[in-house]
Amino acid sequence: MGLMRPALLSVAERKAAQGHIHKIKFDTPFQPRLDALMQTHEWYDWAGYRAPHSLWSEELEYFAIRSQSALFDISPMVKYRIEGPDAEAFCNRLTLRDVTKLKPGRVHYTAWCDDSGHVLDDGTLFRLTETRFRLCCQERHLPWLLDGAFGFNVTICEETEEVSGLALQGPTTCALLKAAGFDGIETLKPFDIRDFAHQDGTVTVSRTGFTGDLGYELFIDTRRALSLWDRLWDAGGPYGLRAIGYAALNTARIEAGLIVANADFITAETALRADRARLPDEIGLDWMVDLKKGPFNGRRAIEAARRDGKARFVLVGLEIEGNVPADQAIVYHRKKREVGLVTAAIWSPTAKRNIALATLERPYGDSILNDLWVEIYALRELQYTRLMKRAKVVPKPFVKLARRTQTPPGDF
Amino acid sequence: MTSSDAIVIGGGHNGLVTAALLARSGRKVQVLEASDTLGGAARTEEFAPGFKVSTVAHLLNQMHPDVIKALKLESHGLSFGKGVSPTVTLSENTAPAILHGGYGDRLDGVSAGEAAAWKALRALLLRQTDILKRFLTSPPPKIGSLTRKDVISFGGAGLALARLGRDDMREFMRMILMNIADVADEHLSDDRLKGLLAFDGTVGHHLGPRSPTSLLGLYYRLAGETAGEAGAQVLPQGGMGAIAAALAKAAEAAGVSMRTGAPVGRIEIENGRATSVTLESGETLKADIVVSALNPKTTFTDLMDVRELDIGFVRKLRHMRMAGNVAKLHLALDRLPEIDTLTPELMAGRMVIAPGTDYVERAFNPAKYGAFSEHPAIELTLPSLSDPALAPDGACVLSAVVQYAPYHLREGWASGKVKFLERVLERLESTLPGLRKTVRHAELLTPVDIETRYRMPGGHWHHGELQADQMFVSRPIAGHAGYDTPVDGLYLCGAGTHPGGGVSGLPGLNAARHILTREA
Ligand SMILES: Cc1cc2nc3c(=O)[nH]c(=O)nc-3n(C[C@H](O)[C@H](O)[C@H](O)COP(=O)(O)OP(=O)(O)OC[C@H]3O[C@@H](n4cnc5c(N)ncnc54)[C@H](O)[C@@H]3O)c2cc1C
């Protein structure tokens, strides 16, 4: 307590801490390998990191996910370590789902809200041990987490830089990992976590992913990251291993009906406009809200919103006639009344359907499901063609693959 | 397990007001007070053998007439004693300026021109205070959900503003966030009066007279009235403990059951609703509703499991500023100090050592950096003069509010306290020569002492800074104004809620009225 000042640094120390000024975007530890494979030179900014949008071919990269093995660098994903005797209680208060049901060695997909019940982010919560968790997400939340730690015996730190990650997704990935020496990987069930030896340390493998396919995510101490890539790469040839960028992953995740923060909804802390924040019930996460588990952040507001019918929006899957993706298209009822917006849309190569995720204003998408239309402006050689296409609310995921959950996965 | 309709945690004056009003509506009410006596910071205690004093609050200037009426306090022993006390400015270099009646409706010892200027300024401030006054008894509206009542109350304020006339209204809007030093400079030239205003605008706040918004502190004082006179004060017979005793009697008459020596350790919550409280002794008492008359921070961060609360709420609560800046000095004197310029009647009032704006501002400067004032500003009273029972025959009690004494003293109060006491005694000695020789016993309560002794976090006058950002719609915290809490069946009613501290009974009154409409 009292007045505290940060210790004064010397000029040299300050200079040394300013490296980020000279680097517009960070490199991940896998950058040397990505650079060597990069042909399209399509980079994008992922949370301050230079990340590949595509490496060699958007379409073929997608097919690597669905018919071979695809390797995607997830190091820029924000990661927090939450550790201590009260870590479970802390996570339970923070997030929507019941963390007491999450066993050590398991992961679950979850979300967390501010006091008004508006979603701050969604992400995956890894229970590494009884008292140690890793929270992975899109946005940064350290101040929120630290404030939430008041009254809990828990330490929280960001480990985005210390821990690097790779997503390995596709039907041949289990076989690939086996070939790379991950003995027993085939017994890993969806959302299981297990440590495997790697060099003089370990790599933490979970059967998770963002593709709706068979796949794994591998987390490793950044100092050993490159050697992990090489280990997979060396074993990957016979399994059709390809490195991929975000475009391919995005196609797969839309097929799987998975949402992305600040693409399919605006997170509460980044929203500038008061009406943009969303309740879980407004972005398809109502199933996470566990009212049986006792207090958690935003609970009162969510309950009140439900009681008062305050959930104004609903996130739905749409199937749209034709084959032109309806990205950012306005959704109409009876071609006249504006009722929503498409937030993600693709022609699905696997479902062979024109699909989309959209946010509609209730009762549209909720009790009124028919006579919905999307207005697509297709720019064709400097002229817009306006298409009014019929849209049907359909269940998600658009693509459901048995191999995602089958244990042991098929061999190749 | 014993069960009541309502438990009121904390038997400070606000808790007693709420308890009595709830009981008068026919409810079975239980007050649980940690200390051995009721009244909280409104109390009289023996601090040296035979010497009694109001150990925290020592002047009554804000007890609201609605509280007095609603609880028939006069029939329960409330008395303004010898009537309204004067205020006198004290300084070694100048003769005193004397304010009679309600904040100087008559002045002595100043030039005719200055008296006229004071009269005009006083009238202006009282007109402006009239606008603000109506908000004292109205619960702050919830931003985003204005009720009809809120609109009427705002409308009423609007009407009152309009009634001010255009020039007065503009002047009010211009002045409301000004600092007290600039306001004084615009109207006055006498440093004694300017110094007094500087003190009265800032006492109990972490502000100097030149800090923006310090005029609000003066408005808050002037919004109080005593014996029908705006801005007036009295030294109650028997000290502030007598006020607490009158409230306790009213509560008892209403059927409230009161327990002292019963510190509450925990508010129990089931499914988001407060259902009972557990004493530090382990005993549990059930109630339909629980009302906390304690500091908001204590209520939420000490008495319950934080996981019952949302992170944003706790964050705001922990940011609520409540580091006190006022110390309390009690002296047991062999005899009445000699002040040749003052009659005994004047010495029985309030005497303020704040000779000029600069003096108070300089006193504030070190407080910004965690040090106490080298030359503190002091408000002193000699309560035994009007109430001889407070001191042995021929002896005298001196009670003083001393600022600035920052709660977060850089060197720590363990070593700082003796040094500060020396400064204060030096200051008193130079104004009242010979005083030190007559001191039989001296007790200085720093904000840390006040915190530990009286369970007032930060030792803060208002249970939380009363500044623009922590007032009205933002009191105790923004987004959670008023007496409701996020926990169902749990209410607040202490000084940490609107309108704030001082022995006014207003938070208690407003809270009771609110609870009675909510739990009708
Ligand atoms: C140095 C100083 C001088 C002041 N001078 C004046 C003045 O001259 N005039 C004036 O009008 N105002 C003055 N004030 C302000 C005034 O004293 C307070 O604002 C007011 O008394 C607060 O009343 P309250 O009932 O809200 O809280 P409190 O009086 O603080 O009452 C709270 C009660 O709760 C009890 N409590 C706390 N924790 C527990 C627990 N866990 N279980 C059970 N009970 C508990 C406490 O013991 C206390 O009795 C002064 C304040 C200070 C600090």
Side-chain angles (χ1 to χ4, degrees):
Chain A
M1 289 267 254
L3 304 151
M4 270 202 280
R5 291 236 176 92
L8 290 177
L9 298 175
S10 73
V11 173
E13 283 170 312
R14 287 210 304 275
K15 274 236 164 78
Q18 288 167 357
H20 59 287
I21 293 174
H22 305 290
K23 189 119 195 155
I24 304 287
K25 290 192 185 83
F26 282 140
D27 285 344
T28 82
F30 301 113
Q31 211 67 49
R33 301 296 178 268
L34 292 170
D35 281 342
L37 295 166
M38 178 51 100
Q39 294 177 19
T40 61
H41 290 283
E42 290 188 321
W43 299 100
Y44 79 111
D45 182 325
W46 179 3
Y49 287 85
R50 180 160 66 106
H53 182 73
S54 70
L55 283 158
W56 45 285
S57 158
E58 231 178 271
E59 277 94 60
L60 295 179
E61 287 170 32
Y62 164 80
F63 282 110
I65 301 175
R66 290 289 181 236
S67 40
Q68 302 152 230
S69 281
L71 193 58
F72 182 66
D73 177 5
I74 54 171
S75 305
M77 191 162 61
V78 177
K79 306 169 211 76
Y80 296 104
R81 179 165 57 235
I82 300 165
E83 193 166 15
D86 288 342
E88 177 188 275
F90 168 83
C91 292
N92 216 18
R93 191 276 202 105
L94 177 75
T95 61
L96 298 176
R97 296 180 68 183
D98 189 347
V99 181
T100 63
K101 289 188 186 149
L102 182 67
K103 299 260 159 359
R106 296 282 294 166
V107 192
H108 70 200
Y109 172 43
T110 189
W112 51 104
C113 296
D114 65 11
D115 295 13
S116 340
H118 291 134
V119 179
L120 285 165
D121 212 343
D122 61 345
T124 42
L125 184 64
F126 291 69
R127 186 163 200 168
L128 301 171
T129 70
E130 190 63 36
T131 54
R132 178 157 171 222
F133 292 80
R134 174 177 297 148
L135 184 65
C136 296
C137 52
Q138 193 67 21
E139 299 294 325
R140 289 193 149 75
H141 301 283
L142 195 59
W144 181 257
L145 299 180
L146 291 177
D147 280 342
F150 173 76
F152 292 86
N153 186 355
V154 57
T155 55
I156 295 166
C157 59
E158 181 171 344
E159 55 179 18
T160 305
E161 283 180 56
E162 292 103 90
V163 178
S164 300
L166 287 170
L168 182 68
Q169 304 281 306
T172 65
T173 50
C174 178
L176 188 160
L177 285 174
K178 252 195 286 184
F182 289 76
D183 293 338
I185 187 74
E186 68 280 1
T187 60
L188 219 61
K189 296 199 198 70
F191 299 110
D192 273 353
I193 308 169
R194 199 177 297 163
D195 279 351
F196 292 86
H198 180 72
Q199 295 187 320
D200 53 342
T202 56
V203 49
T204 301
V205 182
S206 58
R207 187 166 163 190
T208 48
F210 208 51
T211 57
D213 215 303
L214 171 65
Y216 301 87
E217 287 171 323
L218 297 86
F219 294 91
I220 183 133
D221 179 344
T222 293
R223 285 165 304 180
R224 299 193 189 86
L226 264 189
S227 67
L228 177 66
W229 177 290
D230 294 339
R231 179 175 169 187
L232 300 176
W233 204 255
D234 291 345
Y239 304 94
L241 179 64
R242 298 285 184 275
I244 64 161
Y246 182 67
L249 185 84
N250 191 43
T251 303
R253 73 94 186 173
I254 297 171
E255 290 183 330
L258 302 169
I259 57 172
V260 171
N262 287 322
D264 299 295
F265 70 98
I266 303 298
T267 59
E269 257 176 3
T270 51
L272 298 177
R273 296 161 182 83
D275 64 342
R276 298 304 196 273
R278 290 289 180 267
L279 298 160
D281 301 18
E282 295 177 310
I283 56 171
L285 303 184
D286 29 349
W287 60 274
M288 287 181 179
V289 177
D290 192 335
L291 294 178
K292 288 198 287 290
K293 77 167 184 173
F296 59 87
N297 214 79
R299 177 183 178 128
R300 286 184 190 88
I302 292 169
E303 283 185 293
R306 287 183 176 179
R307 194 177 52 234
D308 306 339
K310 285 267 171 65
R312 287 178 55 210
F313 300 94
V314 60
L315 191 140
V316 295
L318 294 180
E319 186 177 334
I320 296 161
E321 67 175 323
N323 59 9
V324 185
D327 243 329
Q328 316 296 318
I330 293 176
V331 183
Y332 291 90
H333 182 242
R334 300 208 167 120
K335 299 192 186 174
K336 278 233 290 288
R337 189 195 170 93
E338 219 180 289
V339 298
L341 182 83
V342 169
T343 55
I346 49 158
W347 166 260
S348 160
T350 299
K352 308 261 185 295
R353 291 187 288 164
N354 195 26
I355 59 171
L357 297 172
T359 290
L360 305 187
E361 199 164 346
R362 294 172 203 255
Y364 303 97
D366 169 8
S367 51
I368 301 179
L369 296 176
N370 44 27
D371 224 346
L372 295 176
W373 300 80
V374 298
E375 183 184 39
I376 306 170
Y377 283 88
L379 187 60
R380 299 282 180 259
E381 300 186 324
L382 296 188
Q383 205 164 321
Y384 273 117
T385 311
R386 177 177 173 268
L387 309 168
M388 193 56 108
K389 295 288 184 186
R390 195 175 271 283
K392 204 169 79 188
V393 174
V394 296
K396 297 172 290 167
F398 303 98
V399 168
K400 198 166 180 180
L401 299 165
R403 62 176 178 257
R404 187 182 78 85
T405 50
Q406 186 191 323
T407 309
D411 214 350
F412 285 87
Chain B
M1 206 186 307
T2 31
S3 178
S4 341
D5 297 326
I7 285 175
V8 175
I9 308 174
H13 84 281
N14 279 313
L16 294 175
V17 169
T18 300
L21 289 171
L22 292 181
R24 288 171 70 102
S25 76
R27 286 171 170 76
K28 188 179 162 202
V29 181
Q30 173 72 56
V31 170
L32 299 168
E33 166 56 45
S35 144
D36 291 334
T37 44
L38 295 165
R43 62 168 68 226
T44 307
E45 291 172 288
E46 190 171 60
F47 70 102
F51 291 84
K52 289 194 209 124
V53 72
S54 306
T55 37
V56 192
H58 64 173
L59 280 161
L60 189 70
N61 63 344
Q62 297 193 295
M63 183 55 90
H64 198 275
D66 285 5
V67 175
I68 297 173
K69 210 165 80 196
L71 294 177
K72 303 196 174 72
L73 287 183
E74 272 146 337
S75 72
H76 294 291
L78 176 80
S79 133
F80 295 129
K82 307 230 157 84
V84 164
S85 310
T87 295
V88 172
T89 68
L90 272 192
S91 146
E92 48 270 44
N93 306 320
T94 48
I98 298 149
L99 283 70
H100 295 285
Y103 213 69
D105 54 17
R106 197 159 53 75
L107 290 189
D108 272 338
V110 302
S111 72
E114 191 66 2
W118 174 266
K119 193 173 173 195
L121 173 60
R122 179 179 175 278
L124 174 68
L125 293 174
L126 288 177
R127 284 201 300 280
Q128 296 176 339
T129 305
D130 259 356
I131 308 291
L132 298 172
K133 241 183 192 168
R134 69 190 55 240
F135 289 110
L136 292 177
T137 48
S138 58
K142 296 225 165 29
I143 298 288
S145 58
L146 287 182
T147 64
R148 234 175 75 85
K149 243 169 102 187
D150 299 332
V151 174
I152 291 170
S153 147
F154 277 122
L159 268 179
L161 260 177
R163 243 181 272 128
L164 268 182
R166 202 183 60 186
D167 291 346
D168 249 11
M169 178 167 91
R170 285 198 181 147
E171 186 61 355
F172 181 46
M173 298 319 278
R174 182 184 76 89
M175 285 172 64
I176 187 161
L177 297 179
M178 274 179 80
N179 73 57
I180 185 69
D182 287 341
V183 172
D185 282 345
E186 283 182 0
H187 291 264
L188 305 172
S189 49
D190 190 321
D191 278 340
R192 296 169 301 168
L193 296 177
K194 289 186 191 181
L196 177 67
L197 290 179
F199 181 84
D200 285 345
T202 57
V203 65
H205 306 276
H206 183 70
L207 292 175
R210 293 202 176 87
S211 310
T213 73
S214 54
L215 175 60
L216 290 175
L218 187 66
Y219 283 143
Y220 191 68
R221 167 182 282 267
L222 293 180
E225 65 182 79
T226 306
E229 289 194 63
Q233 71 223 346
V234 296
L235 274 90
Q237 289 289 302
M240 294 300 271
I243 305 300
L247 285 167
K249 267 199 177 155
E252 201 182 314
V256 176
S257 109
M258 287 167 276
R259 272 173 71 176
T260 54
V264 170
R266 219 176 137 84
I267 299 170
E268 308 293 345
I269 298 167
E270 270 170 49
N271 298 323
R273 188 174 176 91
T275 53
S276 59
V277 304
T278 302
L279 301 184
E280 278 175 12
S281 66
E283 185 186 346
T284 299
L285 295 102
K286 269 175 82 75
D288 292 345
I289 63 163
V290 176
V291 186
S292 170
L294 315 186
N295 186 288
K297 236 185 222 178
T298 312
T299 305
F300 295 108
T301 61
D302 295 353
L303 294 191
M304 66 180 72
D305 190 343
V306 285
R307 69 197 74 183
E308 297 288 349
L309 304 166
D310 282 340
I311 293 170
F313 177 83
V314 177
R315 170 194 277 174
K316 285 186 192 167
L317 195 72
R318 292 176 63 217
H319 289 174
M320 189 179 179
R321 298 189 310 288
M322 54 178 76
N325 225 338
V326 174
K328 193 70 201 302
L329 176 75
H330 309 129
L331 297 181
L333 303 174
D334 288 331
R335 56 176 186 276
L336 188 67
E338 279 165 43
I339 313 177
D340 359 313
T341 48
L342 296 182
T343 62
E345 290 74 45
L346 293 175
M347 286 171 71
R350 174 170 84 120
M351 293 171 275
V352 178
I353 303 176
T357 305
D358 284 353
Y359 181 90
V360 182
E361 188 69 26
R362 282 206 187 95
F364 179 57
N365 285 343
K368 291 183 267 189
Y369 311 107
F372 52 69
S373 310
E374 287 296 318
H375 301 283
I378 302 172
E379 166 189 274
L380 60 107
T381 61
L382 302 169
S384 56
L385 203 52
S386 49
D387 184 358
L390 296 176
D393 272 352
C396 178
V397 172
L398 183 149
S399 164
V401 159
V402 185
Q403 74 175 19
Y404 296 84
Y407 174 78
H408 292 293
L409 191 73
R410 223 166 227 270
E411 71 159 304
W413 281 110
S415 61
K417 183 165 159 168
V418 257
K419 296 183 197 160
F420 189 53
L421 176 60
E422 185 54 31
R423 292 290 183 291
V424 179
L425 291 175
E426 270 170 15
R427 189 68 193 86
L428 286 174
E429 178 70 21
S430 61
T431 317
L432 309 171
L435 180 88
R436 289 195 77 162
K437 283 204 306 282
T438 66
V439 176
R440 216 182 279 179
H441 180 76
E443 174 185 72
L444 181 75
L445 301 180
T446 69
V448 170
D449 296 326
I450 294 169
E451 174 181 70
T452 33
R453 270 213 204 173
Y454 305 113
R455 298 181 180 240
M456 297 177 90
H460 199 282
W461 186 293
H462 293 279
H463 279 285
E465 271 294 314
L466 193 62
Q467 290 185 29
D469 64 309
Q470 294 192 163
M471 271 182 185
F472 197 42
V473 293
S474 309
R475 192 165 189 86
I477 55 173
H480 296 273
Y483 315 98
D484 284 325
T485 73
V487 179
D488 287 339
L490 176 68
Y491 297 89
L492 295 176
C493 76
T497 59
H498 174 73
V503 181
S504 69
L506 283 170
L509 173 77
N510 292 345
R513 286 180 176 164
H514 174 74
I515 293 165
L516 290 172
T517 54
R518 280 294 299 266
E519 306 273 339

